[in-house]
Amino acid sequence: ATTIMSTNNKPDIVFFLIDSLRSDFLQEFIEKHPDEYISKLINEGCFFSNVISSAPYTLASTMSIFTGFHPNITGIDGWFKTHDSFFNTKIITFIEILKNNGYFNSLIYTNDRVAFIPPYAFDMFQMQKFGNVPDIKDFNTFLKEKTPKFCVLSFERIHNEGCDAKGCFSKDEYFKAIQKTSNDIKDFYKKIDLDNTLTILASDHGFKVLEDKTHPHFQPEKNSGRFVTDKTTKTFCCINYKHLPSKQINKMIRSID
């Protein structure tokens, strides 16, 4: 990454953040569906298969990704701390670092619950009230900006469709949501100049499905983001760029890294 940033030809960067996509089910999905778009991206990229999230829910884990700090440092470390007034403004986010390196920064989010992400480092800040997929019109606007530029896109389908009135996904339903999400991100990837763009595909935290129940009163929709388990904190990251080799790294790393 240092070599890339030190050159005059800085690549565009697009960060695909998928809410609630756990690593073990993603890898099982890839084995069963190698021709799906997300499977091809993982197989062609530098895939970190064993990433541990800083928290089992979006609010805290996302801020850790943007800052490189644990929730007790960012200030977003509880369900009641979802407002930007709790954010530790002494922290320098990696978005600010990119801005200082000449990047145009854009946030296109489908989840207004993360509206506390510091907007001051973003030149373009688009937030939907509630949705599954970012507005592709906003992404088209971003693509017209001069290089170098950086964009965060959030994909919420797995989270939004997983916790419904009946409780939570079954494993089969979860896999169908991954397949839909694969098609969602494909629409955005097709618009990217991949020769000059580094893409990052990652998840903020994991998820519990009905098959994970340990007793008759298990309620996944309540337990998923409130308890720290392998299922709720084990995620992944995949980096795709023409100068990076295709490989899988199974060593445990932290999402804050």
Side-chain angles (χ1 to χ4, degrees):
T2 303
T3 302
I4 294 171
M5 287 297 294
S6 64
T7 64
N8 292 326
N9 298 319
K10 298 173 184 176
D12 290 342
I13 305 172
V14 180
F15 194 130
F16 292 77
L17 187 59
I18 304 177
D19 197 337
S20 305
L21 180 52
R22 53 191 264 191
S23 180
D24 57 342
F25 280 2
L26 172 62
Q27 293 180 74
E28 186 176 338
F29 178 86
I30 292 170
E31 292 177 2
K32 292 181 177 179
H33 306 282
D35 294 329
E36 287 290 337
Y37 196 76
I38 194 171
S39 303
K40 293 180 180 180
L41 288 174
I42 298 297
N43 289 329
E44 294 172 359
C46 182
F47 177 50
F48 296 86
S49 65
N50 193 10
V51 180
I52 305 301
S53 174
S54 67
Y57 60 99
T58 298
L59 305 175
S61 60
T62 301
M63 283 310 303
S64 290
I65 291 173
F66 283 130
T67 63
F69 289 98
H70 287 293
N72 65 312
I73 302 297
T74 67
I76 310 299
D77 59 353
W79 287 97
F80 59 93
K81 293 183 177 181
T82 60
H83 191 271
D84 57 5
S85 63
F86 290 102
F87 180 68
N88 182 357
T89 56
K90 295 180 180 180
I91 292 176
I92 297 177
T93 66
F94 79 76
I95 297 97
E96 292 173 87
I97 294 173
L98 287 172
K99 190 176 183 67
N100 292 336
N101 277 273
Y103 274 78
F104 175 93
N105 293 327
S106 174
L107 177 73
I108 306 174
Y109 235 79
T110 56
N111 184 349
D112 67 343
R113 291 170 299 168
V114 292
F116 56 80
I117 294 173
Y120 44 79
F122 289 101
D123 302 286
M124 176 180 173
F125 195 85
Q126 299 294 334
M127 191 76 66
Q128 295 175 223
K129 180 66 178 178
F130 189 80
N132 291 330
V133 183
D135 191 333
I136 203 160
K137 293 180 181 178
D138 291 333
F139 189 58
N140 287 334
T141 300
F142 159 78
L143 292 175
K144 294 177 183 177
E145 295 294 333
K146 294 180 179 179
T147 298
K149 53 185 177 288
F150 167 75
C151 184
V152 180
L153 298 166
S154 75
F155 293 79
E156 300 286 331
R157 185 182 299 279
I158 294 174
H159 177 276
N160 292 344
E161 295 184 357
C163 295
D164 57 19
K166 66 181 180 181
C168 189
F169 277 134
S170 68
K171 187 174 180 180
D172 287 342
E173 290 171 324
Y174 191 94
F175 274 38
K176 290 178 181 177
I178 297 178
Q179 190 171 33
K180 290 180 182 178
T181 299
S182 176
N183 292 330
D184 292 337
I185 64 175
K186 181 180 179 180
D187 292 337
F188 287 80
Y189 264 93
K190 288 191 300 184
K191 293 181 173 291
I192 297 173
D193 177 9
L194 294 176
D195 286 335
N196 299 295
T197 305
L198 182 151
T199 64
I200 303 169
L201 186 68
S203 177
D204 53 353
H205 58 82
F207 197 82
K208 280 192 175 183
V209 299
L210 292 173
E211 283 84 348
D212 293 324
K213 63 184 179 182
T214 56
H215 57 78
H217 302 294
F218 177 72
Q219 295 176 293
E221 77 281 8
K222 293 184 177 180
N223 292 348
S224 262
R226 290 167 172 79
F227 294 96
V228 177
T229 69
D230 281 351
K231 312 254 187 338
T232 60
T233 58
K234 210 165 186 180
T235 64
F236 73 96
C237 178
C238 184
I239 303 173
N240 293 71
Y241 189 51
K242 62 181 181 180
H243 297 308
L244 292 179
S246 172
K247 62 180 177 179
Q248 179 168 326
I249 299 173
N250 297 318
K251 181 180 178 180
M252 182 182 293
I253 64 170
R254 304 171 301 177
S255 62
I256 62 173
D257 296 326

